[in-house]
Amino acid sequence: MKNQSLLALILVLILSSSSLAQQQEDAKMIRTIYDETLLRGEAYENLRYLCKNIGGRVAGSPQGAAAVEWARQLMESYGFDKVILQEVMVPHWVRGKKEVGRIVNSKKLGSEEVNITALGNSVGTGPGGVVAEIVEVQNFEELAALGREAVEGKIVFFNRPMDQTQIQTGAAYGMAGNQRRSGPSEAAKHGAIGAVVRSLSTDFDDYPHTGSTVYTFNVPKIPAIAISTNDADMLSDLLKDDPELQFYFETHCQMLDDALTYNVVGEITGSENPDEYIVVGGHIDSWDLAEGAHDDGAGVVHSIEVLRTLKAMDYQPKRSIRAVLFANEENGLAGAKKYAELAEENGEKHYAAIESDAGGFTPRGFSMDVSEAAFERIQSWAPLFEEYDLHKFSKGGSGADISALKPQGVELIGLRPDSQRYFDMHHSAQDVFEIVNQRELLLGAAAMTSLVYLIDQHGLYEDQRGR
Ligand SMILES: [Zn+2]
């Protein structure tokens, strides 16, 4: 008995000293990853190129094609083991001529121009525009209560703001988002001829924010626009004294035939388990009002930077590590669906996926849509990230593109940067390279690279012993 407990004690000591050594080794490796990224990272210069030389890149556009070719050449130049283009057919929506929005007959102001933008995927009004009385609602319940007689032949104005009390602005975006996504079709069900949606923005300014709307099958497609938050407030104020107020808008957007584009995939092939994949990804398409710098140029250059860093460190991963630049996240997720479909078809076992699609701001941690076992494992690494100010290891959503892999049982993780300024510029003309901070951007890449390293080294499950 005495001998047995002595043996047990020795075993515990051996195990804890080996795990201590392991922890020190991991800490050293993460330090090296951060050093490499902060001293020699190329994500910022890559983002500059993508934003300034290519710019906004709606799915199916010539800029979209240029971005694919740029990413392919960049990955080739880094010497990744494989660079693959996956064919994807995507919706091809074009904005056309600049939109016009106007309050027509205000008792107080007369005719007043307002700042608007067509919603992605929406049909245009054509040169004649639409003009009609405008009815304000906060939500779909209010719209249904008003009913057809109050709405038919009119324009519906959805004006529910993003909830400023939410600390995670993504949550506020989620709560307000159905107005843009489904509002136009909801309005059309009650006979409306147009829809105006308050911009999904946390800021009060004159920039309209676009984003996709999704028309319900078998409901008339009506033209739909977003209006800046300042102008939404003005319109709402005017409507209080002037319920007969009319609104005019003119949009020239249209949906063309589907177009061919590509997911761009770069890979460092695993040395022990090459058929198991760890994915880091972002989406290569963006809206057209600006350069898609934070959304999602940041995710594109983050993902490439992860592989660049590992390669620069001469790290030989056990599993295959892939940077995946998904096509068409903004208005259809065709690239995500194609990637998941091909993974299944080709029998690729995807082990984990990390997405960066929340901007290039200071990383705070990771949000995880994972199994309990993987969650505990990743949480156990949290102390390693303390000194890098990465504190949030919580359960939650991951990212729209990698979510397509969920039915294959893939552990899904989203990089979570500070969210306070993201929706000030998201999908608006303000999302340009100049508002991205170099250090903040690089820190995001280093955080992702570190997590990839840990997953690759130690696996996500207790029984795997790093397999
Ligand atoms: Zn995005």
Side-chain angles (χ1 to χ4, degrees), residues 242-263:
D242 203 350
E244 260 119 70
L245 196 73
Q246 292 200 354
F247 193 85
Y248 171 82
F249 71 93
E250 187 185 316
T251 58
H252 301 270
C253 44
Q254 53 178 318
M255 192 62 92
L256 307 178
D257 289 341
D258 283 0
L260 173 66
T261 186
Y262 303 87
N263 291 330

Side-chain angles (χ1 to χ4, degrees), residues 37 159 163-164 313 420:
T37 312
N159 192 32
D163 179 358
Q164 296 286 350
M313 291 166 57
Q420 302 314 319

Side-chain angles (χ1 to χ4, degrees), residues 328-366:
N328 176 230
E329 188 273 346
E330 293 293 3
N331 61 335
L333 288 168
K337 288 172 198 159
K338 176 59 81 174
Y339 185 83
E341 197 182 297
L342 287 174
E344 184 136 56
E345 244 176 67
N346 299 333
E348 296 167 349
K349 182 182 176 346
H350 278 67
Y351 193 76
I354 307 173
E355 181 162 330
S356 164
D357 186 16
F361 299 99
T362 306
R364 299 290 190 214
F366 297 98

Side-chain angles (χ1 to χ4, degrees), residues 283 285 294-296 329-330 355-358 401 422 426-427:
H283 61 88
D285 65 312
H294 278 293
D295 187 14
D296 186 23
E329 188 273 346
E330 293 293 3
E355 181 162 330
S356 164
D357 186 16
D401 284 305
Y422 188 58
H426 179 254
H427 295 182

Side-chain angles (χ1 to χ4, degrees), residues 95 97-100 116-119 122-127 129 223-225 249-253:
R95 181 175 302 280
K97 217 163 74 177
K98 171 107 186 76
E99 302 86 346
V100 179
I116 64 155
T117 184
L119 292 185
S122 65
V123 296
T125 64
I225 57 172
F249 71 93
E250 187 185 316
T251 58
H252 301 270
C253 44

